[in-house]
Amino acid sequence: MYDYLVVGAGLFGSVFAHEATQRGRKCLVIDKRDHIGGNVYTENIEGINVHKYGAHIFHTNSKKIWDYVNRFAEFNRYTNSPIANYKGEIYNLPFNMNTFNKLWGVITPEEAQQKIEEQRNAANISDPKNLEEQAISLVGTDIYEKLIKGYTEKQWGRSAKELPSFIINRLPVRFTYDNNYFNDRYQGIPIGGYTVIIEKMLENIEVQLNVDFFAEREKLEAQAKKVIFTGMIDQYYDYQFGVLDYRSLQFETKVMDETDNFQGNAVVNYTDKETPFTRIIEHKHFEFGAQDKTIVTEEYPREWEQGFEPYYPINDDKNNKIYKKYKELADNESNVIFGGRLATYKYYDMHQVIGEALTTVKKEFG
Ligand code: FAD
Ligand code: UDP
């Protein structure tokens, strides 16, 4: 008999299992995949730590969370500075003075602000109601057309007019010459990859891989006093209020022998609408690698359906309404705790998942 059955060996499940075990509780962690780590999983191929589920850059403003992850790995000084390739034109991200200078030739912050203001006024947006209006009001129509519209509509498979504006608010807009993608105080990549962190968290804890909770639900539930569930909440409740939409991705990874430096940057976004992938990741650059070869991954977005991984919740009105109904059921459970990106249907970054897991631990154990 276990105190906790933890469904999902991703970041949420692993933090919870680690903390519960530290407090003398007995946990069984299961995952339907054949590895631990969920979407932060990295695999060492040819000496390069490959981010198997897309680029993962750790960033947080919380000293508490930064100190927490640093207990499990040492972090390097990597600063995310993706570049955008729009039909062969290269721009710096996030939107900053380097972007504005390349696009308009402006030199001073005042000139850039003036340019954006002119475009915002011409578009006549006073109270932005969707991603398109929010983007134009933040950076103007030129940047929206070249760097946002195509990328966003590929990524989400929906018109930018139908998407919530909070998605674009993830990106800083800066009137300084600063290409750092994040505003957070702490940032880096764990040396040796993310899998090391999860391995350490799950040390001395029983983990069963290739086990799908739904295939053996009754047997598994009977083995534990409580369940920590980090899978899809709509599936947990047998889709009784309808299916939630998710965005999925397909990753095409290539080992390149012919060059040791394919694109000169870890992340290059392809922001036009014609290129079928959204970005290319060159993994070695996350760790300043000097290997003879290089490994790149193209990321192709697609709608989620059975047989694919659900990577992104789609937090539009329709889906948020459905989620709210599931959440009401979840809030009334006494022996199940729902956590992480899929079970709370939230576009969480890693630091937020760790924060949520530590809050859950506090509630559970005081
Ligand atoms: P997951 O990692 O999804 O773990 C859930 C686990 O549960 C999975 O392993 C799954 O196999 C398992 N599971 C689900 N259902 C079942 C079942 N029925 N039975 C058994 N097991 C089950 N965050 C950042 O901070 N920085 C970034 O740069 C960043 N980049 C990202 C890029 C991409 C492409 C994606 C998709 C996410 C990115 N994130 C990033 C977010 C980050 O991946 C998540 O915040 C974090 O991994 C979520 O952890 P989790 O435990 O909630 O979920
Ligand atoms: N985005 C964009 N152009 C870019 C990068 C991002 O329009 O070059 C928009 C897009 O809508 C994306 C959102 O900003 O979904 C958030 O970007 P982020 O890099 O945070 O996405 P993630 O890494 O979570 O996929």
Side-chain angles (χ1 to χ4, degrees):
M1 192 72 185
Y2 299 94
D3 293 303
Y4 295 97
L5 168 70
V6 179
V7 180
L11 210 39
F12 188 96
S14 302
V15 170
F16 185 90
H18 179 79
E19 294 301 319
T21 307
Q22 294 284 91
R23 289 163 176 78
R25 306 308 196 278
K26 198 172 169 206
C27 297
L28 169 63
V29 179
I30 61 162
D31 204 295
K32 63 180 179 185
R33 298 187 194 174
D34 63 2
H35 59 75
I36 57 171
N39 292 338
V40 308
Y41 176 67
T42 49
E43 187 182 328
N44 193 294
I45 302 174
E46 308 264 4
I48 297 169
N49 290 309
V50 173
H51 295 212
K52 294 291 276 194
Y53 300 95
H56 277 75
I57 300 98
F58 196 91
H59 58 99
T60 181
N61 238 339
S62 157
K63 176 150 178 17
K64 188 180 142 204
I65 289 173
W66 182 242
D67 288 344
Y68 187 79
V69 286
N70 275 270
R71 280 163 43 187
F72 303 96
E74 195 183 332
F75 280 71
N76 70 13
R77 59 149 191 87
Y78 178 81
T79 300
N80 198 29
S81 304
I83 56 173
N85 182 329
Y86 176 77
K87 303 187 181 196
E89 295 168 21
I90 297 295
Y91 295 95
N92 286 111
L93 294 172
F95 314 118
N96 73 80
M97 285 307 297
N98 290 306
T99 329
F100 307 142
N101 171 266
K102 177 90 188 257
L103 193 62
W104 298 316
V106 293
I107 306 280
T108 66
E110 196 184 342
E111 287 167 345
Q113 272 156 344
Q114 213 172 350
K115 196 88 189 162
I116 291 172
E117 175 117 24
E118 275 165 28
Q119 299 196 352
R120 184 190 303 133
N121 290 342
N124 204 12
I125 296 164
S126 51
D127 174 23
K129 291 193 180 52
N130 54 50
L131 196 156
E132 176 172 298
E133 292 179 3
Q134 178 70 1
I136 293 173
S137 99
L138 285 171
V139 289
T141 36
D142 288 346
I143 290 186
Y144 174 68
E145 293 295 336
K146 285 193 167 182
L147 304 183
I148 299 177
K149 188 176 193 301
Y151 186 98
T152 295
E153 297 189 344
K154 284 191 292 191
Q155 167 72 5
W156 296 98
R158 284 152 179 76
S159 155
K161 291 190 181 73
E162 292 163 22
L163 287 164
S165 39
F166 86 88
I167 292 178
I168 198 69
N169 294 342
R170 286 169 61 87
L171 309 193
V173 178
R174 274 193 211 114
F175 294 93
T176 51
Y177 288 90
D178 176 359
N179 296 327
N180 184 348
Y181 203 58
F182 303 112
N183 284 327
D184 288 342
R185 180 158 176 196
Y186 308 102
Q187 179 174 180
I189 300 283
I191 296 167
Y194 286 89
T195 308
V196 175
I197 295 183
I198 306 289
E199 274 166 2
K200 283 215 179 123
M201 285 179 178
L202 295 178
E203 220 166 53
N204 303 320
I205 298 177
E206 191 177 340
V207 179
Q208 292 178 9
L209 298 174
N210 302 304
V211 176
D212 188 334
F213 174 71
F214 296 106
E216 307 174 38
R217 185 168 184 163
E218 280 175 26
K219 190 185 113 200
L220 288 163
E221 281 174 337
Q223 289 180 54
K225 293 180 200 151
K226 268 195 172 180
V227 174
I228 306 298
F229 185 79
T230 74
M232 294 152 73
I233 191 167
D234 52 344
Q235 186 179 16
Y236 185 90
Y237 287 115
D238 208 14
Y239 304 107
Q240 58 182 279
F241 300 128
V243 178
L244 288 166
D245 294 325
Y246 300 87
R247 213 53 193 150
S248 190
L249 299 168
Q250 275 175 293
F251 299 100
E252 300 279 335
T253 297
K254 286 182 255 185
V255 178
M256 296 182 139
D257 298 318
E258 60 279 17
T259 173
D260 64 350
N261 187 5
F262 172 71
Q263 62 183 14
N265 206 35
V267 183
V268 178
N269 291 357
Y270 286 76
T271 57
D272 64 299
K273 76 172 193 305
E274 290 80 16
T275 306
F277 46 82
T278 44
R279 47 191 171 193
I280 300 184
I281 310 304
E282 188 168 7
H283 302 268
K284 69 192 301 181
H285 296 312
F286 289 120
E287 297 188 59
F288 316 107
Q291 298 86 351
D292 294 339
K293 298 179 181 183
T294 191
I295 302 181
V296 298
T297 302
E298 293 166 353
E299 213 169 294
Y300 294 81
R302 52 165 297 145
E303 203 61 12
W304 175 81
E305 58 181 276
Q306 288 297 340
F308 289 86
E309 288 292 343
Y311 291 113
Y312 293 87
I314 301 178
N315 291 113
D316 57 12
D317 288 345
K318 175 194 141 203
N319 286 293
N320 285 347
K321 273 190 196 132
I322 299 175
Y323 169 67
K324 215 170 146 226
K325 293 187 187 170
Y326 288 121
K327 186 174 183 309
E328 274 166 30
L329 294 184
D331 286 344
N332 286 314
E333 300 277 2
S334 48
N335 294 323
V336 192
I337 296 172
F338 295 80
R341 226 187 207 205
L342 300 174
T344 62
Y345 202 65
K346 290 200 175 65
Y347 189 2
Y348 272 154
D349 278 334
M350 292 179 277
H351 61 290
Q352 294 167 307
V353 169
I354 293 173
E356 195 208 3
L358 293 176
T359 303
T360 305
V361 166
K362 197 153 186 219
K363 272 197 211 142
E364 194 64 1
F365 305 111

